[in-house]
């Protein structure tokens, strides 16, 4: 703690313009807002009197974010609650699975809480009841419902608190209504179904376990209904029971209805009644339905929308004609639309889905109408389809998308960014023999004028390419996905794994290192996915991304170049040296060698927290993994799926656990 005698040297430092405390309180508060809450209260507050006062400012202690903060311990949580518990109004402990229930119960001492997120935290019914009973002002709650949950153990005070909750996020690991029947004032209900079809003992679960529960959900005030299902029939069976109540009486104020289901989800009588009731009684601004509910139906034509914000028609057989007529309503103003998901809609940019082949050219007039009507889009997904542009001035998909200047996230198939279709009378150009960049030296090509650039020595994208021009028009893009139309992951999250994947699209053969290098223009890029780019030769474009995309936090690379040979590793290792903010790295590549050089390069990513390597017939060096984990203090997830033996993997796992 500094004393008043420190004021003189501090003042001298301020006079020279070098002392932190010379800034105004407003600037200091902005700086302190980027400091984690535990450090702010338990460390920074103890440095001097001025910072001690600023650290307790309402703007800093009003909201406490501890989500997946792996440095948070039981003692830190208790000290934090003791110091500022009365001031906290919003608390996020999502994903803090290592904290015991007794520590989570400390939340009950924050009597002024209005919003709390406890997803992923261990809580019994009794602990939940005791904690919620002490939070009379709570309006937003997020919890998990695990096996053993018993709503009958909730006290009257707890149910009184739940009756005032307006927003509930509930993750179900067992067939149950959870606390939904107690939340009689619900306006926003977010459901995540993660129920396994069988118990650990092998018993088959059934949604009929919920039929005997006397209470049913109250939806009369509901405005937002969202459900996301993991694979499995039991999740579909349970969500039908939730929807059955909605079908009896659809809330008049419902304006967002979203259901995300992997695979197929057949309609039932109750769901048909629900959709018919929605078409008659509600006006929506956000919609997402299972593809089987939309395919071949006239539902979109009957539903009413008002200033829509979000549409998702993922994997629906929606033709461009239907998209224009039923959704865009022949070019009506949709400036309010912020997010549009057309992933897997292979016919959405063609006028007639019955006559079009998957790899035919798109109808650019449909895309032009879409861009003109939805000019304020911030998120657009056109992946998992063949969107080929025909030759024509200003009619290329990239040229039309360049008009969407507000885009912040964009997902495209690789073949859609190819300049034009290969001509039959033109022999394919031999692949350019790019040399992997070493330092900042630049190869001099005879007969070609050289010019200095920020990434000399790396694959330079031709300024005339449509993809280069697209990214130049979207300088504030934060998330980019470039995924092959036929790509399927060896370890997908919500789809069945496919052993024999389809070969890359022929148009994708012209997308390689120079297009990857074009991504380096995106100075604000935070999340990048590149998958199934067969023409990546040396990966020199990756170095450009590492050098110029300094905000990159998440990187996913899959099946780059020829699958039999991994030739881009030197460039990848060079790239990783520059990724100081990289937190998540996912690498899916057959025959990848995770050797000492690879892990040495990873060690130069000081912020790395999660690593996932999926490599069929790949290899790894256990000693290199151990050395890497010893150096990486922030690493919390390390998944290595390679071709090593089970004995090698178990030995490595035990060695890591012992450390």
């Amino acid at each position: 703690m500094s004393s008043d005698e420190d004021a003189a040297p501090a003042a001298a430092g301020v006079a020279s313009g070098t002392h932190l405390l010379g800034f105004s309180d407003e600037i200091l508060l902005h700086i302190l807002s980027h400091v984690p809450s535990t450090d702010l209260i338990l460390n920074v507050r103890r440095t001097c009197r001025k910072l001690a006062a600023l650290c307790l400012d309402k703007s800093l202690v009003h909201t406490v974010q501890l989500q997946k903060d792996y440095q948070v311990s039981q003692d830190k949580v208790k000290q934090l609650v003791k110091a500022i518990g009365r001031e906290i109004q919003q608390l996020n402990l999502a994903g803090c699975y290592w904290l015991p229930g007794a520590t989570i119960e400390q939340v009950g001492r924050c009597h002024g809480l209005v919003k709390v997120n406890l997803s992923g935290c261990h809580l019994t019914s009794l602990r939940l009841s005791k904690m919620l009973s002490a939070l009379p002002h709570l309006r937003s709650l997020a919890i998990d419902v695990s096996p053993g949950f018993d709503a009958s153990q909730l006290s009257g005070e707890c149910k009184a608190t739940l009756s005032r909750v307006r927003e509930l996020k509930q993750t179900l690991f067992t067939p149950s209504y959870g606390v939904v029947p107690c939340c009689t004032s619900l306006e926003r209900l977010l459901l995540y179904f993660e129920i396994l079809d069988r118990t650990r003992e092998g018993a088959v679960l059934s949604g009929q376990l919920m039929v005997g529960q006397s209470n049913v959900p109250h939806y009369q005030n509901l405005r937002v209904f969202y459900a996301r299902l993991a694979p499995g029939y039991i999740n579909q069976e349970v969500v039908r029971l939730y929807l059955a109540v909605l079908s009896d009486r659809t809330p008049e104020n419902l304006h967002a209805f979203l259901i995300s289901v992997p695979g197929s989800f057949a309609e039932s009588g109750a769901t048909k009644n629900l959709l018919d009731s929605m078409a008659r009684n509600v006006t929506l601004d956000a919609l997402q339905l299972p593809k089987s509910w939309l395919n071949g139906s006239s539902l979109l034509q009957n539903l009413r929308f008002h200033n829509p914000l979000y549409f998702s028609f993922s994997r629906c057989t929606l033709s461009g004609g239907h998209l224009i007529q039923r959704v865009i309503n022949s070019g009506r103003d949709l400036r309010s639309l912020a997010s549009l998901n057309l992933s897997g809609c292979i016919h959405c940019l063609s006028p007639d889905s019955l006559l079009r082949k998957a790899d035919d050219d798109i109808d650019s007039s449909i895309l032009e109408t879409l861009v003109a009507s939805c000019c304020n889009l911030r998120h657009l997904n056109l992946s998992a389809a063949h969107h080929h542009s025909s030759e024509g001035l200003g009619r290329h998909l990239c040229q039309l998308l360049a008009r969407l200047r507000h885009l912040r996230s964009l997902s495209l198939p690789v073949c859609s960014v190819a300049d034009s279709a290969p001509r039959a009378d033109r022999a394919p150009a031999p692949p350019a023999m790019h040399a992997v960049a070493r330092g900042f030296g630049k190869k001099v090509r005879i007969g070609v004028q050289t010019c200095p650039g920020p990434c000399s020595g790396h694959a330079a994208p031709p300024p005339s390419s449509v993809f280069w021009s697209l990214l130049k028009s979207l300088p504030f893009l934060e998330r980019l996905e470039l995924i092959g139309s036929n790509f399927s992951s060896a370890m997908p999250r919500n789809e069945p794994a496919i052993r024999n994947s389809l070969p890359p699209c022929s148009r994708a053969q012209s997308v390689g290192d120079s297009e990857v290098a074009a991504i380096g223009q995106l100075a604000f890029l935070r999340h990048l996915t590149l998958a199934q780019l067969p023409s990546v030769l040396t990966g020199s474009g990756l170095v450009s991304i590492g050098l110029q995309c300094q905000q990159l936090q998440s990187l996913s690379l899959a099946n780059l170049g020829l699958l039999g040979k991994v030739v881009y590793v030197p460039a990848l290792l060079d790239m990783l040296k520059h990724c100081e903010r990289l937190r998540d790295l996912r690498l899916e590549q057959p025959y990848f060698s995770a050797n000492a050089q690879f892990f040495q390069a990873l060690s130069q990513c000081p912020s790395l927290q999660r690593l996932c390597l999926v490599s069929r017939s790949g290899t790894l060096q256990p000693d290199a993994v151990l050395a890497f984990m010893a150096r990486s203090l922030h690493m919390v997830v390390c998944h290595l799926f390679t071709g090593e033996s089970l004995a090698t993997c178990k030995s490595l796992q035990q060695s890591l656990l012992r450390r």
Side-chain angles (χ1 to χ4, degrees), residues 47-120:
T47 56
C48 68
R49 289 189 177 91
K50 181 172 183 178
L51 289 181
L54 289 176
C55 287
L56 295 179
D57 189 86
K58 288 185 178 181
S59 64
L60 298 179
V61 299
H62 174 275
T63 301
V64 174
Q65 294 283 350
L66 302 179
Q67 179 181 14
K68 293 183 179 180
D69 185 347
Y70 297 98
Q71 306 300 320
V72 173
S73 63
Q74 303 178 41
D75 291 338
K76 287 184 178 180
V77 173
K78 292 178 181 179
Q79 293 177 44
L80 189 69
V81 171
K82 184 178 180 180
I84 60 170
R86 296 181 178 180
E87 307 297 330
I88 301 175
Q89 295 188 24
Q90 298 186 22
L91 176 62
N92 189 346
L93 282 166
C96 295
Y97 56 85
W98 61 90
L99 295 176
T103 303
I104 302 298
E105 196 174 328
Q106 295 290 317
V107 173
R109 301 178 62 182
C110 306
H111 301 299
L113 271 181
V114 176
K115 181 176 183 178
V116 62
N117 189 337
L118 301 174
S119 298

Side-chain angles (χ1 to χ4, degrees), residues 115-137:
K115 181 176 183 178
V116 62
N117 189 337
L118 301 174
S119 298
C121 298
H122 298 291
L123 274 177
T124 63
S125 304
L126 290 175
R127 287 192 187 277
L128 179 66
S129 177
K130 182 179 179 181
M131 182 185 65
L132 294 183
S133 298
L135 304 177
H137 304 291

Side-chain angles (χ1 to χ4, degrees), residues 264-322:
S264 60
F265 184 27
E267 272 190 296
S268 64
T271 56
K272 289 181 179 179
N273 293 337
L274 169 61
L275 296 176
D276 290 341
S277 177
M278 287 171 55
R280 293 192 306 268
N281 302 319
V282 301
T283 301
L284 299 174
D285 59 31
L287 177 68
Q288 179 177 358
L289 296 176
K291 61 180 181 180
S292 56
W293 296 12
L294 287 174
N295 291 344
S297 72
S298 58
L299 178 63
L300 288 179
Q301 200 166 4
N302 298 325
L303 288 175
R304 292 175 295 175
F305 302 104
H306 176 68
N307 294 332
L309 298 173
Y310 175 88
F311 283 148
S312 177
F313 305 111
S314 178
R315 301 192 181 279
C316 294
T317 56
L318 184 69
S319 70
H322 289 164

Side-chain angles (χ1 to χ4, degrees), residues 470-628:
L470 169 64
L471 299 186
K472 184 176 178 61
S473 302
L474 305 174
F476 300 107
L477 205 63
E478 298 177 0
R479 180 185 296 269
L480 176 64
E481 295 180 348
L482 201 59
I483 304 174
S485 306
N486 295 329
F487 174 73
S488 58
S489 173
M491 300 190 68
R493 168 66 178 90
N494 282 333
E495 298 292 341
I498 301 176
R499 169 68 69 174
N500 298 319
S501 58
L502 297 174
C505 173
S506 58
R507 292 276 186 103
Q509 301 292 341
S510 60
V511 179
D513 291 313
S514 60
E515 283 73 21
V516 173
I519 300 173
Q521 301 177 84
L522 304 175
F524 297 95
L525 190 68
R526 296 177 182 270
H527 309 278
L528 174 63
T529 298
L530 300 174
Q532 202 179 42
L533 278 75
S535 293
V536 168
L537 299 177
T538 65
S540 52
L542 295 175
V543 186
S544 300
I545 296 174
L547 284 169
Q548 297 174 267
C549 302
Q550 290 295 302
Q551 303 298 322
L552 193 64
Q553 298 178 3
S554 174
L555 175 64
S556 177
L557 305 176
N559 295 3
L560 302 187
L562 300 177
L563 296 187
K565 297 181 180 180
V566 189
V567 296
Y568 65 91
V569 172
L572 174 63
L573 303 188
D574 198 1
M575 172 195 188
L576 292 174
K577 298 175 184 177
H578 309 290
C579 297
E580 295 184 357
R581 290 181 173 85
L582 189 66
R583 296 181 181 178
D584 303 311
L585 174 63
R586 189 181 195 278
L587 187 60
E588 183 173 335
Q589 189 78 35
Y591 304 100
F592 188 87
S593 176
N595 52 26
Q597 290 78 11
F598 172 68
F599 286 106
Q600 179 63 37
L602 279 181
S603 301
Q604 300 184 53
C605 301
S607 303
L608 193 65
Q609 294 183 347
R610 300 174 186 84
L611 169 65
C612 180
L613 173 63
V614 181
S615 181
R616 179 169 51 86
S617 303
T619 60
L620 62 83
Q621 294 181 3
D623 292 342
V625 177
L626 293 173
F628 162 70

